[in-house]
Each structure stands twice: as C-alpha cells, then as structure tokens.
Amino acid sequence: MAQELTFEEYDLANGLHIILHQDNTAPVVTIGVMYHVGAKDEDPTRTGFAHFFEHLLFEGSQHIERGKWFDIVSANGGHNNAFTTQDKTYYYEVFPANNLELGLWMEAERMLHPVINEIGVSTQNSVVKEEKNQRIDNAPYGRIMYRSAINPHLFKEHPYRGTVIGKVEHLDAATLQEFIDFKKKYYNPNNAVLVVAGDFQKAQAKEWIQQYFATIPNTGAPIKRTKVVELPILQTIKVTEYDPNIQIPLKLYAYRTPAMSDKDAYALDLIAFLLTDGKSARLYKKMIDEEQTALQVLAFSDPQEDYGTYVIGALPMDGISLETLATQIDEEILKLQTELISSREYEKLQNQIEAQFVAQISNMEGIALSLADSYTFYNDTNHINESIHHYRAITPEDIRSAAQKYLGKHQRLELDYLPQP
C-alpha cells in the first residue's frame, strides 16, 4: 500500500482525457501526451508515418519557430523526448515545477497547429533514413532488435508484420497532403491522453489545461479499430537470414503470444525473468556457467495491444553449433512445460517483479508514462496500481500452463541468424 499512487482524471468537452498525479516532494513536473496511434494504424502503402510524425511534430508550430523546440525546453531547465511503437506515440517534457505552464502550452501548440510543410518533411525524411541506416541496416543484430527479421514470419495479416520505422520508399512517395491528412486523423484530443505528474497545484493546473487545450477541435472522425485476427501457427517456421554486420551467429526462437491485457502475458513475463534475468537464471546458469556453450543468452516478452511476441535466443561460444544451443534451450522449455518451478524460484520472481514495479514508479517520468499506458491500453488508469497484483496472482501452475500453451515447437519461428558469407 505504501506504493499506491493517487491520481485524478477527467475529460474535457473535446474528448481529451486528463490525468493528474500530484507529488510535491521535489520541484519537478512531467507533462506527457500519448496519442493512440502507432505503426499498426498506417496505410500498408505508407508505412513509417507514425514514427515519422514523432520527428515531424518537433519541427515547430504557429508560435514556435522552426528548430527551436529543444532550445526552448533546455533554456528553461527542462528536457524532453518522444517515442513510437506499433500502438502509440508519446511525447513528454520534464521541467522545473515553475515551468508547468510552458510545458502545457508547448504540447497544446503541438496538438493544435504544428507546421507541416515541405521543408520539415524533407528534413525529417533525411533524419529517418539516417536513423534506419544506423539502427537497422548497419547495426549488428539491428534487424533482430527492430524485428524486421522476425515479425513478417509471425504475422501474415496483422500490421504488426511491419516495423515501426517503416519503409523509406513509402515516405519518399508520400505527398505533403498525405502527411497533413494523417495529422488531422490521429493527432486529436479525442485520440489522446494528457498526464501531468509531479509538483503542482491542481487548481492552477486545471486552469491552464482548460485555457490551452479545451478549445482545440477534433479535425478527424473518432477512430474505429478492428483487430486483425491471425490464424494459429501450426508448424515450425524455419528461416535462415544473413547479416553482413555480425561475426557471431545467433540461434533464435520467436513465438506469437497474447495481448498485454491477457493473464498469460504476465506469466510469459515471469518466464523471461526465470530464464535469463541474472546469473542464477536457468538459461544463463546452464549455457554460460555450467556447459559454457553460449557467449550470451536472451529471452524477452513483448506484449502489445493486439498480440505479443516472445523471443528466446543465444550466441554460441567458438566451436559450438547452433544445433547444440537449440537442444539446450528446448530442454529448458520442456522443463517449464512439464515441471512446476521451485518455491525458491517463485519467491525470487516475486522479488524481481516488485523491484521492477518500484523502479518503474520511482520518478515522475515513469509515473506519467505508466498512467498514460494504463488508461490507453487497459481502459483503467488504476492499472498502474493493479499490475503488481496481477503478477503476484500468477501461480507456478499458471507459468507451466503458459509455457505449454504458447511455447510449443510447432508454434514458433526458428531463425538461424548468420554472418554474411
């Protein structure tokens, strides 16, 4: 109960959802705006738009000169950033508490009348291309980290089959009007949530929010989403990919898993902790310490709004085959599917989850993001307080059941990721 977060929430007449978390222990405040738009919402012939807008909406506005956004923030003692996923785009500023009004005004400027012109589009097109070159095309294992070697095999119909950064040829082909239309459709009050977390007085914050956001109109119709349903994977998908940027091969398994709101998503998170989190984790202990077959092991669960992905992999020591790694990983998966984890492991998992929860809400940036996520994807802002209870409710039997249900050999991508010959 000591970690219980309090908040107040309400809606403006234009549909913008407001969440206020007041904490006056330190003179800092975070202003975050989450738009419920990501890569999955794009026209399949115009991929990359959501990520492009993450950059484009820093270009400037009617009252913020082009290229001055970051200068204004830093000159007033703050910092800011943004990111895009398959499901969302999130912008935020962190300011000294006495600059709350400035942060609110800037986000209202971004929402109401950003400048979208040929100069900004051309500039950010070059920025995105360079980002793709650095992070995906020329980065070791970049196509693994950004899923371009994974998602197309797990998703045949759903937009998750693409990457968040999209295809540069789609951005090159787009007209200025297409960018303007994308903004009008998705970057509206009724498709967003505004979070203020930190040192402020509610009455004053509400006054400024009313002043700057209440009159912003919705320029597009309410967003209607229909989940694209994928057929089950019924047999192993075996793929070999080559990467000219690596010298060490990678053995990787990837599985399609349930949405973030599904109970099994919590169990799969715990399985990832169990297998590779820390030197006492099962795969680390087996493959790195005892057998000394792996240079590195990895396992992570990435639940999203409609589906998730679960990835397990390892880099071999010199002279060790990928088949050896595959056998050892499969042995540990089989144990999860047939045996209950020990009481000691279960206790450790609970401690790890609690530590993660505390770290997540240890600062105003983390709290603001978690509040926005809770409202947007769980339709329950109090999920920020309930998520820890969902994890605590997962039993050893639930972990075994999730491993049986989602980690079958016939349900996965088996990828040999090799150096370019």
Side-chain angles (χ1 to χ4, degrees):
M1 293 300 293
Q3 299 297 332
E4 189 89 2
L5 290 174
T6 59
F7 56 87
E8 180 180 344
E9 57 185 328
Y10 62 98
D11 289 318
L12 298 182
N14 57 12
L16 180 64
H17 192 72
I18 312 297
I19 304 173
L20 305 176
H21 168 70
Q22 184 176 345
D23 183 341
N24 303 112
T25 56
V28 178
V29 65
T30 294
I31 304 98
V33 177
M34 182 174 290
Y35 294 92
H36 194 179
V37 56
K40 77 172 183 195
D41 298 297
E42 299 160 348
D43 181 332
T45 68
R46 289 293 183 268
T47 61
F49 265 46
H51 172 258
F52 190 81
F53 264 77
E54 174 200 322
H55 294 267
L56 187 62
L57 294 190
F58 280 108
E59 273 287 305
S61 73
Q62 184 175 316
H63 298 107
I64 298 176
E65 186 180 344
R66 180 173 179 266
K68 296 298 183 181
W69 191 285
F70 292 94
D71 293 343
I72 293 172
V73 173
S74 60
N76 286 276
H79 65 271
N80 64 313
N81 214 329
F83 66 88
T84 312
T85 73
Q86 292 278 7
D87 303 311
K88 67 189 177 189
T89 305
Y90 183 64
Y91 302 88
Y92 70 93
E93 291 80 30
V94 180
F95 275 118
N98 59 358
N99 279 324
L100 170 60
E101 183 179 11
L102 173 63
L104 291 171
W105 173 75
M106 293 183 78
E107 285 303 332
E109 280 288 297
R110 193 197 309 272
M111 185 181 295
L112 178 58
H113 38 218
V115 172
I116 300 176
N117 57 26
E118 294 286 3
I119 295 175
V121 168
S122 177
T123 300
Q124 295 308 321
N125 195 335
S126 298
V127 171
V128 169
K129 286 179 180 177
E130 181 60 24
E131 181 179 348
K132 183 175 183 293
N133 285 335
Q134 289 185 2
R135 296 188 178 184
I136 300 179
D137 297 339
N138 298 308
Y141 309 101
R143 296 180 62 243
I144 298 297
M145 298 303 296
Y146 287 88
R147 316 293 171 80
S148 60
I150 298 174
N151 285 9
H153 303 294
L154 295 181
F155 300 99
K156 298 301 182 183
E157 303 296 332
H158 197 283
Y160 286 168
R161 66 183 178 272
T163 63
V164 171
I165 206 164
K167 296 182 178 180
V168 293
E169 55 265 32
H170 291 173
L171 297 177
D172 288 341
T175 65
L176 180 62
Q177 189 60 48
E178 286 178 292
F179 289 111
I180 293 171
D181 291 343
F182 193 81
K183 191 278 170 190
K184 288 181 177 179
K185 182 175 182 178
Y186 290 109
Y187 295 82
N188 289 305
N190 63 2
N191 196 43
V193 54
L194 165 67
V195 180
V196 180
D199 184 16
F200 62 91
Q201 299 303 318
K202 285 185 180 179
Q204 179 64 82
K206 289 179 178 180
E207 181 180 325
W208 285 330
I209 289 168
Q210 183 71 22
Q211 176 182 347
Y212 294 119
F213 288 93
T215 59
I216 298 178
N218 289 298
T219 55
I223 307 300
K224 296 180 180 180
R225 292 180 173 85
T226 301
K227 177 181 174 179
V228 178
V229 177
E230 288 279 353
L231 294 175
I233 298 172
L234 300 177
Q235 62 182 17
T236 305
I237 304 167
K238 293 190 176 184
V239 175
T240 300
E241 298 265 2
Y242 296 94
D243 186 338
N245 304 301
I246 67 172
Q247 296 180 340
I248 302 173
L250 167 68
K251 186 67 179 186
L252 183 140
Y253 293 146
Y255 307 81
R256 190 198 304 149
T257 54
M260 59 173 65
S261 57
D262 193 288
K263 177 182 177 180
D264 286 331
Y266 298 97
L268 288 163
D269 278 345
L270 293 180
I271 288 175
F273 275 105
L274 186 69
L275 291 178
T276 60
D277 192 77
K279 293 185 178 181
S280 62
R282 289 187 175 189
L283 284 180
Y284 190 102
K285 188 174 181 180
K286 178 188 183 74
M287 302 177 72
I288 295 180
D289 284 348
E290 296 175 356
E291 302 293 337
Q292 297 185 358
T293 54
L295 181 66
Q296 184 176 340
V297 296
L298 62 94
F300 58 88
S301 177
D302 184 22
Q304 299 178 100
E305 185 173 21
D306 294 342
Y307 290 101
T309 54
Y310 185 79
V311 175
I312 306 174
L315 302 176
M317 293 289 284
D318 188 35
I320 301 299
S321 69
L322 295 187
E323 290 72 22
T324 297
L325 299 185
T327 298
Q328 293 180 343
I329 294 172
D330 279 336
E331 288 171 354
E332 292 305 319
I333 294 175
L334 182 60
K335 287 181 183 178
L336 287 173
Q337 294 169 331
T338 56
E339 304 172 8
L340 294 178
I341 66 172
S342 69
S343 58
R344 182 177 179 182
E345 284 180 310
Y346 185 69
E347 182 180 356
K348 177 188 173 185
L349 287 176
Q350 296 297 323
N351 292 338
Q352 288 172 311
I353 287 297
E354 291 192 13
Q356 176 182 270
F357 175 73
V358 171
Q360 184 179 352
I361 60 171
S362 63
N363 58 63
M364 292 304 113
E365 290 178 51
I367 289 172
L369 175 58
S370 293
L371 286 166
D373 276 335
S374 294
Y375 170 76
T376 303
F377 299 112
Y378 297 91
N379 198 31
D380 177 12
T381 308
N382 197 51
H383 182 267
I384 193 172
N385 292 316
E386 295 296 325
S387 63
I388 186 66
H389 304 301
H390 289 298
Y391 282 111
R392 286 174 177 159
I394 298 297
T395 66
E397 288 79 9
D398 292 328
I399 291 173
R400 181 178 62 186
S401 175
Q404 292 170 346
K405 188 174 181 180
Y406 296 102
L407 304 185
K409 290 183 178 182
H410 64 284
Q411 298 167 286
R412 71 190 181 193
L413 164 67
E414 182 178 338
L415 175 62
D416 288 351
Y417 198 70
L418 308 178
Q420 188 73 46

